[in-house]
Amino acid sequence: MSTSGRFDYKLKYFFEKNGFNVLSRLADRLGMRASNVRLFFIYITFVTAGLSFGVYLTLHFLLKLKDMIYTKRSSVFDL
């Protein structure tokens, strides 16, 4: 096995050992089931993405409305 292959394996092993058990350890500390904690994080992800998209659509609508109300005139004679 080459040195880069061994490094890749060690890196993968490190993240599997330390990174993927974060929610399980959090659930153990809180005294909950790990599946409930994972489900909570999935729901929170969708809620935050949905809220940000809703804010984006609202701001877009308001800016479009502002442009429709306050049209720029090129000269005084356009009144």
Side-chain angles (χ1 to χ4, degrees):
M1 185 181 288
S2 67
T3 56
S4 68
R6 190 173 23 224
F7 177 73
D8 293 342
Y9 177 75
K10 286 183 180 181
L11 187 66
K12 179 184 169 210
Y13 179 74
F14 174 78
F15 280 117
E16 284 179 355
K17 183 179 178 197
N18 298 316
F20 294 140
N21 290 328
V22 171
L23 294 179
S24 298
R25 285 185 274 173
L26 181 64
D28 288 340
R29 292 237 174 146
L30 295 175
M32 298 173 64
R33 293 174 51 197
S35 62
N36 290 340
V37 176
R38 288 185 186 112
L39 197 61
F40 172 75
F41 275 97
I42 290 170
Y43 286 155
I44 287 297
T45 301
F46 283 118
V47 166
T48 55
L51 285 177
S52 61
F53 188 67
V55 168
Y56 168 76
L57 287 178
T58 303
L59 290 176
H60 177 74
F61 173 74
L62 291 175
L63 287 174
K64 198 75 148 162
L65 188 64
K66 179 193 72 89
D67 289 342
M68 290 172 66
I69 292 173
Y70 298 112
T71 56
K72 293 183 180 180
R73 295 179 177 89
S74 59
S75 71
V76 179
F77 301 111
D78 288 341
L79 297 173

